[in-house]
């Protein structure tokens, strides 16, 4: 194990400065308003400008670390300042990798092209979860029906990040229910499509900086060209939308784990600060608990980095990614929970960051596969737990 | 002889409050949480139940029912089942009235209690907490200094439920150099008195309907006979024991509400072809929630029974509160988890319950740890 390269550290440093000056205040503003920052909020224009001046580390050839480690390190730093603002950041987001991997050349140009060097903030979005269930991805009920003019989508989706402001939402729907999971494909639904209705921005416990959107697909028509990967029926599970989704989660889980570590580190630092200020650090009990928090934080970070490193080395990391995801998410929640006890009344009585982190952290054990689902994945590999 | 049976009166009180909690509190919990305010018509309805005056002595105009911490625990558990935040607001006056019944001098009772026996709602409250993370008598910064025959109070109190509405406050302050709790006394303070400033605390996390306030005391004069109790004032340890028991009982009620809400959902919600209640990881979670909730409840009852038997309940109440502080958050947390993403949305109660539980059990959690 060794330290990060100087090139990567330079990116971390820049993210830190940006985080402290821009991300943290924007995140607190959204939380206080109990609503996502509007798409035309100056923060987003500033963000686009920042990205134009400082390309993302993903495109920096001077960095020696692999892409998964880069992402983990940057996600950790960004989430330290505000996890919600990280998700709200303009860009194609989660589906970018899927579109890049499975999209036809035309689709890559049409849907990802506009994001390259964009001068205006724009978003992409990915819709899997349905009101009837999110964990059981095979049971999704949204249907796609082929017609002469394209496809008609029917169903409903919920909690979809950035879906109301996105240029397009990539929507998982079943084209061939007889085939079950293998019948699932993904469709681009563009902003303003009248078939995407009942758009509701949910009010959440935390992570209020980004939109979580529920909506209905009411005979939502899209042209043939909007079927991800084109009309050619998927042959192998690898090329089906479902396979692509599950494949991509190996790195996205690591990404969420890294964000959880960032959030946890934030809870730790803030708790430590308050314990010093209030003098409660003098208590041996408080010091013991802070020390236990610090150790757990370190374990979570190492586990996350290892899962990322394995991905970069092309070593199968399903179990590592799931372990990192559940352990880091629960670490974030635990640290914020204990932090609340140490900062005590301040947390419940005033505007205190730990209080916000407590609300934010809880989501991390639900998104991208709940804690239960991660344990099932781990146990399946460990002891052959049946589905 | 040991008994877990309730008396007829206790059963009646509990049932009355349970139906009040489910029909009046639970239904308003979400809107009150968002408004960070308890609706005054609800406070009036709560007052009309007559529980504040129930144990006030007859010669003061009250019901004269014997004070029992077991009964109080039952009441608070029932109320916590509906909404711990609204319950804290609706019954804040009891935090003033009950200590007067228990520890007040004859003269103090006759002077202060009759006003709580009328039909018109009277708000009063207790100012206990300070900025410190935990209630630590050694660090209590609010001081009561002798001034001629009376006292002068200085300090800042936090999380005073319904503080802005209270006409009277019971304020805990360090009155002598006697070590620990022995040096703490409770003072009856008029909220209009010169030097008292009351402002809403800005808390956003939980129990937002409780109307928590910050109370600043700047050289507030208190006459000698307004130190709670006779003469030099009463030992406040029994008061602290009853507060621990009451807070823990509220948390038990809240935990029970979480479980009762999660069980039917787990039985209905289908994933992977069957209700999630059939998955061991969910079924065991519910079993553990149930086990811990029961354990919490019996710890609370035991402490209350100690006090009712006339024994020192300090230790038992600390054990109960500590146990509840350690386990109650987990129950609320697991309750949310069972609802998955839906638990995180501010439409259903689980996320609100987790916030409320965190605030309810943060106080003193480290001191007890
Ligand atoms: C803040 C937030 C943002 C989100 N963003 C997005 C987004 O951008 N796009 C998107 O598609 N979705 C998004 N989601 C949805 C999220 O992915 C789902 O909430 C999650 O997958 C769980 O699904 P569910 O809520 O339907 O819970 P369910 O699947 O109904 O699960 C309920 C409970 O049962 C448990 N459970 C389920 N199956 C089993 C089993 N086999 N064994 C044991 N326990 C089981 C779960 O762990 C959970 O505790 C978001 C959710 C949140 C809270």
């Amino acid at each position: 194990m060794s330290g990060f390269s100087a090139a990567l550290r330079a990116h971390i440093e820049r993210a830190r400065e940006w985080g402290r000056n821009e991300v943290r205040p924007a995140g607190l503003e959204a939380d206080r308003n109990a609503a996502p920052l509007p798409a035309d909020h100056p923060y987003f224009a500033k963000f686009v400008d920042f990205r134009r001046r400082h390309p993302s580390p993903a495109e920096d050839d001077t960095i020696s670390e692999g892409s998964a480690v880069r992402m983990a390190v940057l996600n950790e730093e960004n989430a330290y300042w505000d996890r919600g603002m990280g998700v709200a950041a303009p860009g194609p987001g989660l589906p970018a990798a899927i579109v890049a991997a499975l999209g036809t050349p035309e689709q890559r140009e049409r849907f990802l092209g506009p994001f390259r060097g964009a001068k205006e903030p724009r978003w992409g979005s990915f819709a899997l979860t349905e009101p009837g269930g999110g964990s059981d991805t095979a049971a999704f009920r949204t249907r796609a029906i082929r017609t002469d003019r394209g496809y008609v989508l029917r169903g409903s989706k919920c909690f979809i990040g950035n879906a109301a402001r996105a240029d397009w939402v990539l929507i998982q729907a079943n084209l061939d229910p007889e085939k079950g999971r293998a019948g699932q494909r993904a469709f681009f639904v563009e902003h303003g499509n009248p078939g995407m209705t009942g758009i509701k921005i949910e009010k959440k416990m935390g992570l209020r900086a980004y939109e979580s959107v529920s909506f209905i697909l009411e005979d939502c028509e899209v042209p043939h060209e909007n079927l991800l990967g084109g009309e050619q029926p998927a042959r192998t599970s690898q090329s089906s939308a479902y396979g692509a989704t599950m494949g991509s989660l190996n790195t996205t889980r690591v990404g969420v784990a890294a964000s959880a570590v960032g959030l946890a580190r934030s809870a730790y630092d803030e708790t430590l600060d308050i314990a010093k200020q209030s003098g409660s650090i003098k208590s041996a009990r408080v010091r013991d608990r802070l020390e236990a928090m610090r150790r757990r934080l370190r374990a979570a970070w190492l586990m996350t980095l290892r899962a990322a490193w394995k991905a970069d080395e092309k070593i199968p990391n399903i179990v590592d990614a799931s372990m990192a995801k559940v352990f880091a998410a629960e670490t974030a929640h635990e640290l914020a929970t204990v932090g609340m006890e140490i900062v005590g009344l301040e947390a419940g009585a005033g505007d205190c960051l730990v209080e916000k982190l407590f609300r934010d952290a809880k989501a991390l054990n639900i998104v991208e596969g709940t804690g239960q689902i991660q344990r099932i994945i781990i146990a399946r590999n460990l002891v052959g737990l049946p589905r | 002889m040991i008994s877990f049976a309730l008396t007829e009166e206790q059963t009646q009180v509990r049932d009355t409050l349970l139906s009040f909690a489910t029909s009046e509190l639970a239904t308003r919990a979400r809107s009150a949480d968002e408004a960070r305010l308890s609706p005054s018509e609800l406070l009036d309805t709560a007052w009309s139940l007559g529980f504040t005056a129930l144990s006030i002595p007859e010669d003061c105009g009250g019901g004269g029912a014997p004070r029992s911490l077991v009964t109080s625990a039952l009441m608070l558990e029932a109320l916590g089942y509906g909404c711990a935040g609204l319950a804290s607001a609706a019954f804040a006056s009891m935090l003033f009235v009950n200590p007067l019944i228990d520890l007040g001098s004859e003269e103090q009772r006759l002077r202060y209690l009759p006003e709580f026996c009328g039909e018109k709602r009277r708000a009063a409250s207790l100012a206990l907490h300070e900025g410190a993370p935990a209630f630590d008598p050694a660090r209590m910064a609010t001081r009561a200094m002798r001034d001629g025959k009376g006292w002068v109070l200085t300090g800042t109190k936090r999380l005073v439920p319904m503080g802005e509405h209270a006409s009277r406050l019971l304020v805990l302050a360090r009155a002598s150099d006697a070590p620990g709790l022995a040096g703490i006394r409770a003072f009856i303070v008029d909220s209009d008195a010169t030097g008292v400033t009351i402002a809403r605390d800005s808390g956003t996390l939980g129990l937002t309907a409780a109307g928590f306030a910050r109370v600043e005391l700047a050289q507030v004069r208190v006459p000698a006979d307004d130190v709670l109790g006779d003469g030099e004032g009463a030992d406040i340890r029994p008061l602290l024991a009853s507060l621990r028991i009451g807070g823990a009982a509220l948390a038990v009620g809240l935990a029970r509400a979480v479980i009762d809400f999660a069980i039917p959902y787990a039985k209905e919600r289908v994933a992977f072809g069957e209700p999630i209640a059939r998955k061991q990881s969910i079924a065991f979670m519910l079993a553990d929630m149930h086990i811990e909730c029961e354990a919490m409840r019996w710890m609370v009852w035991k402490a209350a029974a100690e006090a009712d038997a006339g024994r020192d309940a300090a230790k038992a109440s600390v054990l109960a509160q500590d146990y509840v502080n350690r386990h109650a958050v987990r129950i609320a947390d697991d309750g949310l988890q069972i609802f998955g993403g839906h638990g995180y949305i501010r439409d259903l109660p689980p996320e609100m319950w987790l916030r409320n539980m965190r605030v309810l059990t943060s106080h003193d959690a480290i001191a007890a740890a």
Side-chain angles (χ1 to χ4, degrees):
Chain A
M1 236 190 317
S2 53
F4 299 124
S5 66
L8 184 54
R9 275 188 277 123
H11 279 278
I12 299 174
E13 219 24 75
R14 196 175 303 127
R16 182 164 299 158
E17 206 185 302
W18 171 257
R20 183 183 299 120
N21 298 334
E22 306 291 340
V23 181
R24 174 71 55 81
L28 290 174
E29 180 185 336
D31 190 59
R32 267 196 302 274
N33 297 342
L37 297 184
D40 60 2
H41 190 282
Y43 171 85
F44 295 120
K46 257 188 177 171
F47 177 91
V48 170
D49 183 53
F50 174 75
R51 266 279 161 273
R52 281 161 59 82
R53 282 184 287 121
H54 307 289
S56 98
E59 289 143 29
D60 185 342
D61 306 331
T62 65
I63 300 181
S64 47
E65 284 86 354
S67 62
V69 169
R70 292 179 197 195
M71 176 193 64
V73 167
L74 267 294
N75 275 11
E76 197 273 350
E77 185 62 37
N78 292 336
Y80 180 88
W81 300 106
D82 200 282
R83 162 66 180 167
M85 289 306 297
V87 181
L94 198 61
I98 298 164
V99 177
L102 296 174
T104 62
E106 298 79 51
Q107 285 171 338
R108 287 202 292 264
E109 194 42 46
R110 209 175 126 213
F111 295 108
L112 295 181
F115 287 94
R116 280 191 289 274
K119 294 199 177 76
E120 301 273 296
R122 44 178 72 227
W123 290 266
S125 173
F126 189 30
L128 289 167
T129 306
E130 302 185 354
S135 301
D136 185 0
T137 49
F140 289 155
R141 280 194 282 249
T142 297
R143 285 275 281 123
I145 297 137
R146 198 178 193 288
T147 67
D148 293 344
R149 292 191 300 176
Y151 296 92
V152 172
L153 306 180
R154 289 191 190 125
S156 45
K157 297 283 175 183
C158 64
F159 316 145
I160 309 305
N162 297 325
R165 62 184 60 186
D167 285 2
W168 45 261
V169 185
L170 189 61
I171 288 178
Q172 192 91 344
N174 208 316
L175 190 55
D176 195 349
E178 307 259 289
K179 288 197 194 140
R181 189 174 273 171
Q184 288 184 19
R185 302 293 305 268
F187 301 82
F188 292 95
V189 172
E190 283 153 287
H191 191 84
N193 187 319
M196 187 172 146
T197 66
I199 293 174
K200 180 184 176 208
I201 305 203
E202 302 285 0
K203 288 190 155 59
K204 290 174 291 191
M205 180 186 193
L207 298 183
R208 302 202 272 196
Y210 71 93
E211 294 173 348
S212 293
V213 187
S214 299
F215 56 87
I216 299 165
L217 297 161
E218 212 172 76
D219 290 338
C220 178
E221 292 187 50
V222 297
H224 289 129
E225 308 84 72
N226 283 23
L227 168 57
L228 181 70
E231 299 252 57
Q232 227 49 292
R235 287 237 160 64
T236 68
S237 74
Q238 218 33 50
S239 65
S240 74
Y242 178 77
T245 306
M246 287 307 154
S248 80
L249 287 181
N250 288 339
T251 45
T252 51
R253 276 179 185 160
V254 178
V256 175
S259 299
V261 173
L263 200 160
R265 178 163 63 92
S266 187
Y268 173 78
D269 280 358
E270 186 70 9
T271 305
L272 182 63
D273 263 6
I274 293 180
K276 282 180 183 161
Q277 276 165 32
S278 72
S280 66
I281 189 100
K282 289 190 213 104
S283 142
R285 277 202 195 105
V286 169
R287 281 202 308 277
D288 279 356
R289 300 205 73 179
L290 280 163
E291 194 45 38
M293 284 165 78
R294 203 174 63 83
R295 285 193 292 263
R296 181 153 179 183
L297 178 62
R298 169 162 296 211
W301 185 218
L302 290 173
M303 207 180 270
T304 303
L305 281 176
R306 183 171 144 88
W309 173 81
K310 278 181 114 176
D312 285 337
E313 297 292 315
K314 307 270 181 294
I315 305 169
N317 77 338
I318 302 275
V319 173
D320 307 80
S322 282
M323 285 197 305
K325 159 70 173 66
V326 63
F327 188 71
E330 292 181 2
T331 297
H333 184 56
E334 164 90 11
L335 263 56
T337 302
V338 174
M340 286 278 302
E341 289 174 8
I342 294 177
V343 304
L345 298 182
E346 287 302 324
D351 295 322
C352 169
L353 184 63
V354 182
E355 177 274 315
K356 174 179 178 293
L357 294 171
F358 175 75
R359 287 184 287 111
D360 288 353
K362 181 62 211 171
L364 298 173
N365 210 18
I366 298 171
V367 299
E368 297 292 337
T370 65
Q372 287 66 42
I373 296 301
Q374 306 304 338
R375 286 183 173 90
I376 289 172
I377 295 169
I378 296 161
R380 193 182 293 154
N381 284 275
L382 211 57
V383 294
L385 180 80
R387 265 168 205 273
Chain B
M1 194 190 72
I2 191 162
S3 168
F4 288 83
L6 300 178
T7 66
E8 214 170 290
E9 292 83 49
Q10 287 172 333
T11 312
Q12 208 177 6
V13 166
R14 185 196 54 193
D15 291 350
T16 306
L17 280 171
L18 207 51
S19 90
F20 171 76
T22 43
S23 66
E24 306 291 327
L25 300 186
T27 48
R28 289 175 175 82
R30 174 60 71 182
S31 60
D33 173 64
E34 259 162 35
R36 306 180 57 241
L37 205 71
S38 294
S40 55
E41 39 86 23
L42 173 72
L43 300 178
D44 290 337
T45 314
W47 186 265
S48 70
L49 296 175
F51 285 106
T52 309
L54 186 68
S55 293
I56 293 179
E58 281 169 356
D59 58 355
C60 303
R67 275 275 290 151
S68 152
L69 288 198
V70 171
T71 309
S72 285
L74 288 168
M75 289 170 65
L76 286 162
E77 190 184 319
L79 292 166
Y81 190 81
C83 174
L86 284 171
S88 304
F91 295 92
S93 299
M94 284 194 183
L95 295 171
F96 178 86
V97 168
N98 288 341
L100 260 101
I101 300 173
D102 296 344
L103 303 172
S105 68
E106 187 59 35
E107 197 230 313
Q108 284 166 346
R109 284 192 209 118
L110 286 166
R111 182 150 27 114
Y112 292 111
L113 292 180
E115 62 193 69
F116 294 93
C117 298
E119 300 211 330
K120 202 167 151 4
R121 171 159 60 89
R122 290 287 294 183
S125 191
L126 174 78
L128 167 71
H129 293 291
E130 298 186 353
F135 176 77
D136 179 355
R139 294 178 46 185
M140 184 171 275
T142 302
R143 305 280 318 196
M145 307 291 270
R146 288 268 181 204
D147 178 54
K149 281 196 175 151
W151 301 86
V152 173
L153 267 56
T154 310
T156 302
K157 292 289 179 178
R158 305 287 302 274
L159 288 188
V160 178
M162 292 301 276
E164 283 180 304
H165 304 272
S167 56
R168 296 190 196 286
L169 297 169
L170 196 61
V171 178
L172 269 69
R174 172 160 295 287
S176 79
D177 294 330
L181 292 173
I184 312 269
R185 290 289 175 271
F187 297 86
I188 300 163
V189 175
D190 198 342
S191 54
D192 293 335
T194 316
V196 178
T197 317
I198 303 179
R200 185 69 197 263
D201 244 336
S202 59
T204 48
L205 181 64
L207 300 183
T208 60
F212 288 129
R214 165 198 287 266
V215 175
E216 307 271 359
L217 303 152
Q219 307 278 333
V220 179
R221 294 186 169 278
V222 176
D225 49 6
D226 276 347
V227 58
L228 183 70
D230 287 305
E232 294 297 291
D235 183 345
I236 49 110
R237 276 172 277 206
L239 166 59
L240 292 180
S242 74
L243 291 172
R244 288 187 202 107
I245 292 167
L250 261 183
V252 172
L254 175 45
R256 196 66 243 169
V258 170
I259 299 166
D260 284 357
F261 195 67
I263 287 174
Y265 187 78
K267 284 160 96 173
E268 272 164 32
R269 180 75 170 178
V270 173
F272 301 94
E274 59 183 356
I276 57 172
R278 304 276 292 270
K279 309 283 183 196
Q280 270 189 4
S281 53
I282 298 295
F284 284 13
M285 204 189 262
L286 283 164
D288 282 335
M289 290 158 74
H290 182 68
I291 294 168
E292 291 301 351
C293 187
E294 291 286 297
M296 286 175 5
R297 172 186 277 157
W298 308 135
M299 298 280 281
V300 172
W301 283 27
K302 173 70 181 163
E306 289 289 303
D308 284 359
R311 289 189 286 269
D312 180 1
K315 203 166 166 188
S317 69
V318 168
L319 289 181
Q321 184 190 36
D322 174 30
Y323 195 83
V324 168
N325 281 351
R326 280 168 194 264
H327 292 92
V329 167
R330 183 63 197 257
I331 294 175
D333 184 18
D334 285 347
L336 194 163
Q337 187 72 23
I338 287 169
F339 283 79
H342 298 270
Y344 197 68
I345 307 297
R346 291 180 184 241
D347 286 341
L348 294 176
E351 67 80 31
M352 177 176 68
W353 284 336
L354 178 56
R355 289 186 285 113
N356 286 348
M357 193 69 102
R358 183 62 292 187
V359 173
L360 196 57
T361 59
S362 277
H363 316 157
D364 299 347
I366 281 285

